Amino acid sequence: MNNVKVFVLMAGLTGLVMAIGQLVGGGTGAIFGLLMAAGMNLFMYWGSSSMVLRSYNAQVVTAKEAPELYAMVDRLRQRAGLPMPTVAIAPHDQPNAFATGRNPEHSVVCVTEGLMRMMSKDELEGVIAHELAHIKNRDMLLQTIAATMAGAIGNIAQFAMFFGGGDDEDSVNPVVAIAIMIIGPGIAMVIQFAISRQREFKADAVGAEISGRPLSLASALGRLEMGARRIPMQVSPNAAPLAIVNPLAAFNMRGMSKWFSTHPPTEERIAALQSIAAA
């Protein structure tokens, strides 16, 4: 099912880029849009995880460089029946983590320096188990592509706005260009919103099964939420939905924006984990 969703995302991106190309440059623009979309789809499949790591300024580490972290990931991935992922550390004080990659054989688990400092061993295991659950559920490619797609749509929309508004009769109407600039990123946000929320609940449940300690993950989520609200992290909004809790929470979303958060309420996730522990 996730493979189908990935295909639909890529097909949707192709159609959207072609439509923008048609508006900007007519038939020639549509063909150019098709070629651009093909290149973007190839990049998203093969190189999107590298782009996500760059967004977080993360560096890949070896067993020699981070022995305790590496051993913990190795132990939990064996329990989950997964191949060993690449391990990375992001130089942020905010406690957070994410998984990325196109499949379990080419996956990455990344934690921040703040996470390793602030969490107990059991809580850190719970967080890593959650990220391994994303890999086990095979949903990290879907989310990684959605994140890359969001950035691509924003860039294309800006291109249409600034380069498609000439005076000749074949140019796109400035009103249409503005609409593209506004609606394009909105479409990407809705896509990320729809994908992210349910996958977090599922990863929490599977992560609790991998670690065997649902309450440790629940405790970690509470501390992660407090840390994310207290310690700002500068990261692209497009890559933010990949993290276990919203890394932009410190910027204090208010009002209607909360309804469009790509992360479900942490208190609901904690309650679900407590129910698992009590079962």
Side-chain angles (χ1 to χ4, degrees):
M1 181 56 67
N2 276 333
N3 288 337
V4 172
K5 291 178 181 178
V6 168
F7 174 80
V8 170
L9 270 183
M10 289 182 164
L13 174 63
T14 300
L16 181 61
V17 174
M18 287 183 66
I20 293 174
Q22 175 74 35
L23 287 170
V24 173
T28 301
I31 294 173
F32 179 76
L34 176 61
L35 295 174
M36 179 185 293
M40 290 167 59
N41 284 329
L42 286 173
F43 169 76
M44 285 192 299
Y45 185 80
W46 294 104
S48 53
S49 60
S50 297
M51 193 185 81
V52 170
L53 289 176
R54 285 196 297 271
S55 294
Y56 282 88
N57 295 317
Q59 297 294 322
V60 171
V61 295
T62 64
K64 185 176 180 179
E65 293 168 324
E68 292 184 9
L69 175 64
Y70 203 90
M72 184 179 290
V73 173
D74 192 16
R75 182 172 65 256
L76 289 169
R77 69 90 187 170
Q78 291 182 53
R79 192 179 299 174
L82 292 168
M84 182 64 189
T86 297
V87 180
I89 298 176
H92 299 286
D93 291 330
Q94 183 189 111
N96 224 315
F98 65 89
T100 185
R102 64 181 183 271
N103 55 40
E105 291 72 30
H106 299 87
S107 59
V108 182
V109 170
C110 180
V111 301
T112 64
E113 292 177 351
L115 181 76
M116 293 190 294
R117 285 196 304 268
M118 296 182 188
M119 297 291 123
S120 69
K121 179 181 177 182
D122 288 351
E123 289 170 335
L124 183 57
E125 283 192 351
V127 172
I128 291 173
H130 170 97
E131 299 308 331
L132 290 172
H134 282 308
I135 297 171
K136 189 177 181 68
N137 295 341
R138 292 180 175 267
D139 59 12
M140 73 282 186
L141 173 62
L142 181 64
Q143 187 59 35
T144 300
I145 285 181
T148 310
M149 181 177 174
I153 290 174
N155 291 335
I156 293 168
Q158 290 183 12
F159 178 86
M161 174 65 184
F162 292 111
F163 296 98
D167 296 329
D168 59 274
E169 61 182 14
D170 292 329
S171 296
V172 62
N173 187 299
V175 175
V176 175
I178 293 171
I180 292 171
M181 190 172 181
I182 295 172
I183 295 172
I187 293 171
M189 182 187 69
V190 170
I191 290 170
Q192 289 185 296
F193 170 80
I195 290 171
S196 296
R197 288 203 156 198
Q198 288 307 311
R199 83 182 190 108
E200 292 301 335
F201 283 113
K202 185 176 180 181
D204 286 342
V206 175
E209 182 180 344
I210 292 171
S211 69
R213 299 187 183 93
L215 293 181
S216 293
L217 177 55
S219 174
L221 286 174
R223 297 184 67 189
L224 284 164
E225 180 71 15
M226 287 189 293
R229 291 186 179 278
R230 184 170 54 88
I231 306 170
M233 181 192 291
Q234 297 295 333
V235 65
S236 168
N238 300 321
L242 289 168
I244 186 171
V245 297
N246 182 11
L248 303 177
F251 297 103
N252 199 18
M253 293 187 304
R254 296 183 182 274
M256 287 298 292
S257 61
K258 289 185 178 180
W259 292 97
F260 294 97
S261 172
T262 55
H263 290 73
T266 300
E267 58 269 21
E268 292 182 15
R269 297 170 66 183
I270 291 173
L273 287 164
Q274 291 171 338
S275 296
I276 292 173

